[in-house]
């Protein structure tokens, strides 16, 4: 009988655009204040891509780093999955195809996942399934967003919250159970479909002059309702994944929550009795980068030397759909085999 194959989190990389948009900059654009934004969200600044910098450009840069850190080259990648709700082109081609082309990856399956802020963890669940079923060996999983491209810069309810960026990870096959993903849980409740929505372009509202004039291409959000559901759902989800795997919150060195709002992160962290040094926080400097938020946060702790081989990460996220997901994954770089 052949040995069981598991998925292992081999490497991480990220790309953050240079341009910084501070709360003080936003004060000049809409009726808001640094004090309000910091108090309600924890965000101080966010990075914004250049006009000529696309989601796939940022994703390619993050992917190059992740592939190199995995000790691989582009030819070793046998599946490319990109989580994004701000693709280079709505409809087609997929951003994953564009990233593959920019990386020089040919004749390899590539597709996008649309699960808003939950996209990266959704993509991890796909990588795990492909690897454990022995269909693929090295999966490039990307979360990348140019959220600034769907923001109405006159809408203070949304424009202060989001930022741009990309993160990527290589998920590889292993027979060593110690390196394996412990669990990934992903879920959705489509009855809340209108809590976070870009109404156009799409089959309901094609890109007509009227749709554009109405601003239907911009993100609309029921912020307060989303906030309350996020706290409730995430707390329940994270408690469930820990209990199911007989792991206690205190045993998690790196709790990496989706970086949407400091108050959501704090409420979930408190419900799990997490101490401050367990909780990874980047929301103050990147804002909400949707599918890129978790891999960018993992990259931050990796580059600052805090994330060590074999250390456990608890990921949790919540986003449009509504979707949510959590995961228990040890960091398993190859050189430590
Ligand atoms: N500056 C100043 N005032 C603002 C503002 C801004 N940028 N944005 C909203 N306000 C105002 C509102 O107009 C409202 O005014 P009113 O009471 O006169 O109507 C007031 O602040 C309170 O708005 P409310 O929406 O109740 O605030 P809140 O405490 O819920 O905070 C969010 C707003 C958006 C920060 C918060 O709801 C949130 O983070 N939601 C979740 C967002 C999220 O995670 N989205 C992505 C899912 S991953």
């Amino acid at each position: 009988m052949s040995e069981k194959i598991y998925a292992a989190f081999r490497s991480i990389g990220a790309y953050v655009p240079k341009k910084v948009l501070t709360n003080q900059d936003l004060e000049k654009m809409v009726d808001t204040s640094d004090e309000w934004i910091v108090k309600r969200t924890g965000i101080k600044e966010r990075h914004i891509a250049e006009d000529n910098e696309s989601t796939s450009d940022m994703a390619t840069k993050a992917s190059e780093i992740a592939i190199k850190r995995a000790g691989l080259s582009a030819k070793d990648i046998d599946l490319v999955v990109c989580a994004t709700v701000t693709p280079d082109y709505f409809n087609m081609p997929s951003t994953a195809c564009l990233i593959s082309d920019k990386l020089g990856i040919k004749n390899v399956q590539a597709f996008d996942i649309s699960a808003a802020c939950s996209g990266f963890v959704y993509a991890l669940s796909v990588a795990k399934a492909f690897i454990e079923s022995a269909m693929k060996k090295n999966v490039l999983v990307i979360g990348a967003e140019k959220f600034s491209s769907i923001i109405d810069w006159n809408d203070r309810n949304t424009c202060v919250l989001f930022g741009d960026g990309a993160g990527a990870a290589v998920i590889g096959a292993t027979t060593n159970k110690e390196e394996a993903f412990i669990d990934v849980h992903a879920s959705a409740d489509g009855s809340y479909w209108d809590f976070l929505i870009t109404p156009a372009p799409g089959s309901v509202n094609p890109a007509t002059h009227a749709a554009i004039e109405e601003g239907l291409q911009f993100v609309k959000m029921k912020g307060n309702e989303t906030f309350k559901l996020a706290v409730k759902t995430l707390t329940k989800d994270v408690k469930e994944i820990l209990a199911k795997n007989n792991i206690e919150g205190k045993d998690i060195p790196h709790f990496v929550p989706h970086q949407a709002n400091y108050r959501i992160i704090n409420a979930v962290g408190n419900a799990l009795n997490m101490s401050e040094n367990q909780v990874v926080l980047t929301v103050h400097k990147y804002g909400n980068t949707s599918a890129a938020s978790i891999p960018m946060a993992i990259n931050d702790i990796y580059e600052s030397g805090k994330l060590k081989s074999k250390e456990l990460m608890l990921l949790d996220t919540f986003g449009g759909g509504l979707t949510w997901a959590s995961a228990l994954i040890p960091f398993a770089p190859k050189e430590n085999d």
Side-chain angles (χ1 to χ4, degrees):
M1 225 176 84
S2 60
E3 259 187 303
K4 182 155 173 39
I5 301 168
Y6 304 99
F9 197 107
R10 290 297 187 208
S11 68
I12 189 75
Y15 172 77
V16 186
K18 279 197 190 66
K19 195 173 16 170
V20 174
L21 185 70
T22 64
N23 290 350
Q24 287 73 18
D25 295 330
L26 283 162
E27 283 175 352
K28 294 176 202 141
M29 296 159 65
V30 286
D31 180 15
T32 191
S33 67
D34 174 54
E35 194 198 348
W36 190 96
I37 303 170
V38 172
K39 198 166 151 214
R40 299 291 179 114
T41 71
I43 301 167
K44 292 182 179 155
E45 57 187 37
R46 66 289 290 144
H47 291 249
I48 303 293
E50 297 297 332
D51 288 346
N52 65 357
E53 194 171 37
S54 68
T55 298
S56 73
D57 289 332
M58 295 188 282
T60 300
K61 287 180 178 148
S63 300
E64 281 166 348
I65 297 168
I67 293 170
K68 190 159 178 245
R69 285 181 181 160
L72 301 175
S73 64
K75 67 174 174 12
D76 301 311
I77 300 297
D78 52 6
L79 173 63
V80 179
V81 185
C82 178
T84 187
V85 286
T86 49
D88 284 19
Y89 303 98
F90 279 93
N91 313 325
M92 60 184 145
S94 73
T95 304
C97 282
L98 299 168
I99 298 164
S100 299
D101 182 47
K102 288 176 185 177
L103 290 170
I105 297 174
K106 274 202 191 310
N107 304 322
V108 159
Q109 186 174 357
F111 59 88
D112 288 356
I113 283 186
S114 169
C117 305
S118 309
F120 183 76
V121 185
Y122 262 58
L124 289 179
S125 75
V126 170
K128 178 176 183 284
F130 268 95
I131 287 175
E132 288 181 354
S133 58
M135 285 176 73
K136 307 289 175 189
K137 284 196 173 70
N138 290 305
V139 183
L140 179 63
V141 173
I142 303 148
E145 303 283 10
K146 185 172 177 176
F147 227 89
S148 59
S149 65
I150 55 165
I151 290 290
D152 176 354
W153 292 104
N154 297 311
D155 176 11
R156 70 175 184 175
N157 290 300
T158 52
C159 75
V160 303
L161 301 175
F162 296 96
D164 299 338
V170 173
I171 312 303
T174 182
T175 51
N176 178 356
K177 193 158 194 289
E178 276 184 22
E179 296 183 328
F181 279 36
I182 295 173
D183 205 356
V184 186
H185 175 247
S187 195
D189 185 343
S191 65
Y192 298 109
W193 61 274
D194 62 345
F195 273 36
L196 266 155
I197 181 169
T198 46
S203 63
V204 173
N205 298 302
T208 57
H209 286 292
I212 304 295
E213 267 159 33
E214 226 186 297
L216 298 186
Q217 71 277 28
F218 297 127
V219 67
K220 325 275 177 216
M221 184 179 70
K222 294 186 178 174
N224 197 262
E225 292 90 329
T226 306
F227 181 93
K228 286 181 196 147
L229 256 183
V231 173
K232 204 169 103 191
T233 310
L234 285 173
T235 306
K236 183 168 172 284
D237 197 45
V238 166
K239 281 186 173 170
E240 274 173 12
I241 198 170
L242 287 173
K244 185 178 156 211
N245 294 285
N246 290 316
I247 294 171
E248 289 187 42
K250 68 174 172 44
D251 300 323
I252 302 288
H254 306 290
F255 174 42
V256 192
H258 171 50
Q259 307 286 320
N261 185 315
Y262 174 71
R263 290 187 294 143
I264 300 177
I265 296 170
N266 203 30
V268 179
N270 285 344
L272 295 175
N273 292 320
M274 293 273 184
S275 65
E276 253 178 42
N277 60 5
Q278 288 174 280
V279 183
V280 179
L281 265 186
T282 58
V283 70
H284 57 289
K285 56 180 180 175
Y286 301 147
N288 181 351
T289 58
S290 185
S293 128
I294 285 186
M296 285 169 74
I298 297 173
N299 186 68
D300 252 51
I301 52 170
Y302 175 78
E303 289 193 349
S304 63
K306 288 186 196 143
L307 179 62
K308 307 261 166 34
S309 179
K310 298 194 177 70
E311 284 183 344
L312 192 56
M313 300 181 283
L314 169 62
L315 317 181
D316 94 276
T317 185
F318 187 87
L322 290 176
T323 55
W324 60 94
S326 55
L328 278 165
I329 298 177
F331 182 55
K334 187 84 179 193
E335 62 269 20
N336 293 295
D337 264 2

